[in-house]
Amino acid sequence: FLFLKNFMIGIAWGALVLIGGGSWDDPMLRALFIFASLQVFIGSMIRDVPDVERDKKIGIRSFPVVFGVQNTIDFMQVLNFVSYSISFFLYQEWKLLILISIITAWRFVNIYMLNKDRTSKFWGQSFNLMTCNLFFGVLLIQHLYGLYV
């Protein structure tokens, strides 16, 4: 299920924003949910890139196997920008802009460096997973300084 695995991972983790916020009615929470879901979707695809040869051998139909690594990299960069654009369109607040700009730039670097070293466990896993810590850290700093998102 080519698309389903990545989609379900993104939605499931992104839903934690809604669960934590306790509401679907808040436009800021909807924007963060969509942003987080798309970023986790991208993150799950990033993890597929270093494993492309193994996936081919055992018959797993991941994005990089089906569409090729370069097309997957390009798609992730476009989706990264789309996640930024949709989120900002839904909630045009500078406080949200700070958060999504930092995360989007971080993800851009992650995908760019993964493209330079496609077998790297650092860019394919470690740096990718640090996105969650960055998300938390930026929100924490914003909260501590009264810049509530």
Side-chain angles (χ1 to χ4, degrees):
F1 301 114
L2 175 64
F3 179 77
L4 191 60
K5 175 196 87 148
N6 303 96
F7 179 76
M8 295 295 287
I9 291 169
I11 294 296
W13 283 99
L16 294 175
V17 171
L18 295 176
I19 293 166
S23 173
W24 173 253
D25 297 330
D26 184 339
M28 185 269 303
L29 284 176
R30 281 196 305 265
L32 277 176
F33 163 70
I34 290 168
F35 183 75
S37 295
L38 289 172
Q39 287 297 319
V40 173
F41 178 85
I42 294 167
S44 70
M45 290 176 65
I46 286 172
R47 291 180 59 104
D48 290 338
V49 170
D51 297 332
V52 71
E53 293 306 318
R54 181 186 60 84
D55 288 352
K56 283 180 187 177
K57 282 183 192 174
I58 60 177
I60 294 177
R61 296 184 43 158
S62 65
F63 269 83
V65 169
V66 174
F67 298 108
V69 173
Q70 189 58 53
N71 288 335
T72 300
I73 297 279
D74 294 343
F75 176 70
M76 288 188 295
Q77 288 292 25
V78 168
L79 193 56
N80 186 38
F81 179 73
V82 166
S83 73
Y84 174 88
S85 301
I86 290 173
S87 301
F88 186 67
F89 175 76
L90 290 175
Y91 192 72
Q92 298 175 3
E93 175 67 43
W94 70 271
K95 296 169 193 170
L96 177 67
L97 182 63
I98 292 169
L99 173 68
I100 64 176
S101 295
I102 291 169
I103 302 298
T104 302
W106 176 275
R107 184 64 81 193
F108 173 84
V109 169
N110 187 183
I111 297 167
Y112 178 81
M113 294 306 293
L114 180 65
N115 192 34
K116 290 189 160 299
D117 186 0
R118 295 175 178 181
T119 60
S120 171
K121 294 294 183 187
F122 178 75
W123 296 111
Q125 291 183 22
S126 302
F127 195 88
N128 181 29
L129 292 174
M130 284 188 276
T131 306
C132 299
N133 295 327
L134 181 64
F135 208 112
F136 172 74
V138 172
L139 283 172
L140 178 63
I141 290 167
Q142 285 184 303
H143 180 74
L144 292 174
Y145 284 94
L147 304 172
Y148 303 110
V149 173

